[in-house]
Amino acid sequence: MNVGLTSEEAKARLTREGYNELISVASKNIWKIAAGVIREPMFLLLISCAALYMVLGDYREGIIMLFTVCIIISITFFQYQKTERALEALRNLSSPRALVIRDGKELRNPGREVVPGDLLILNEGDRIAADATLEKEINLSVDESLLTGESVAVEKSVSDPERTKVFSGTLVVRGRGVARVTETG
């Protein structure tokens, strides 16, 4: 069995390559979200039209338009907040825990600390933490529906060059395997 990377090699690569995670943007507070929504050109135009109605003396039309714009702004604001929460949940899902070989021992590490060159131990039910190339496998099948949309698991094999790649975020549904994390490009 391969010994994988040493702890020192992994630490150096982590420093050089960075964490294995999606780039996170600081989440916006409620006021920044609201200001961003209100600054949308279409909303500014509609608010201006409502103000123009009132300046011209048609208060009823102006108030109705302003009320309608406020409702649309509120809906947009809440949708934006839901999107922010969904993106945060996706970031959390994209970094599963990974069983790696370091210093010749199996260790369970956060997926964000997996580095190029690491050996991943893949077991049934594991979410794959990084793109990797299989080195060993026993009846390995991976659910790649996250990437391809296909509902059928893909059989992986070290003897077939087209089926040696496993991809980050996919799920092992059967078998076992050992895969080396590929270099980032």
Side-chain angles (χ1 to χ4, degrees), residues 33-171:
I33 294 172
V37 169
I38 291 171
R39 276 192 229 125
E40 290 284 328
M42 184 56 71
F43 292 136
L44 291 175
L45 179 66
L46 290 171
I47 291 169
S48 299
C49 288
L52 186 60
Y53 269 117
M54 286 192 242
V55 166
L56 294 175
D58 197 348
Y59 296 108
R60 182 175 173 215
E61 288 293 325
I63 290 172
I64 289 172
M65 185 173 223
L66 197 56
F67 179 73
T68 305
V69 169
C70 288
I71 290 173
I72 294 169
I73 287 173
S74 299
I75 291 169
T76 304
F77 173 77
F78 288 114
Q79 288 295 332
Y80 192 88
Q81 277 190 312
K82 281 176 63 176
T83 301
E84 286 289 317
R85 285 194 299 269
L87 286 173
E88 185 61 34
L90 283 173
R91 280 187 207 102
N92 293 338
L93 276 177
S94 70
S95 187
R97 299 203 45 88
L99 189 60
V100 297
I101 299 175
R102 295 252 175 96
D103 299 317
K105 299 176 188 161
E106 291 184 10
L107 298 171
R108 180 115 4 225
N109 279 355
R112 66 188 302 260
E113 294 178 8
V114 171
V115 296
D118 260 336
L119 283 175
L120 297 175
I121 307 292
L122 307 174
N123 293 305
E124 192 171 312
D126 287 349
R127 185 146 315 265
I128 299 171
D131 291 351
T133 303
L134 280 175
E135 293 188 353
K136 297 178 185 175
E137 54 80 23
I138 300 172
N139 296 326
L140 188 67
S141 292
V142 178
D143 177 2
E144 295 180 349
S145 62
L146 180 70
L147 301 174
T148 63
E150 293 184 28
S151 61
V152 178
V154 177
E155 299 282 329
K156 297 294 180 173
S157 172
V158 293
S159 61
D160 183 352
E162 291 184 14
R163 296 191 298 163
T164 60
K165 296 284 187 189
V166 292
F167 302 99
S168 179
T170 58
L171 183 69

Side-chain angles (χ1 to χ4, degrees), residues 15 26 86 128 178:
T15 302
I128 299 171
V178 176

